[in-house]
Amino acid sequence: IFLKNMVAMVKVDGSEYEFRNPPHYMGLAIRDQRDAYYETEYVLETYFHHPNVAPFLATRMIERFGVS
């Protein structure tokens, strides 16, 4: 099975917003632990390097664990 990591942009109707679909390495017919590892590693790398993740997580942690 050959799975490729294509860039697929999704545009939201009626607006200027668009986003990239996440890459998908898991096969539907044959599931392999290696494929799950690759997909998990890529998602974590994406989260680590995305500029909005740190402020989002910081806000959520303050809301959850903060005391005012």
Side-chain angles (χ1 to χ4, degrees), residues 2-63:
F2 175 72
L3 302 173
K4 59 182 175 178
N5 182 10
M6 288 181 39
V7 174
M9 299 301 288
V10 177
K11 185 158 179 69
V12 179
D13 287 337
S15 72
E16 61 189 48
Y17 297 110
E18 65 181 15
F19 58 93
R20 181 182 190 268
N21 276 342
H24 186 345
Y25 295 106
M26 295 290 288
L28 297 176
I30 301 172
R31 295 176 187 241
D32 189 9
Q33 185 175 3
R34 177 198 59 172
D35 297 337
Y37 174 77
Y38 290 154
E39 191 162 340
T40 304
E41 281 295 312
Y42 186 81
V43 167
L44 292 175
E45 283 293 317
T46 302
Y47 290 162
F48 183 74
H49 293 291
H50 195 278
N52 289 337
V53 172
F56 176 79
L57 290 179
T59 303
R60 295 297 181 257
M61 289 176 72
I62 291 170
E63 288 175 355

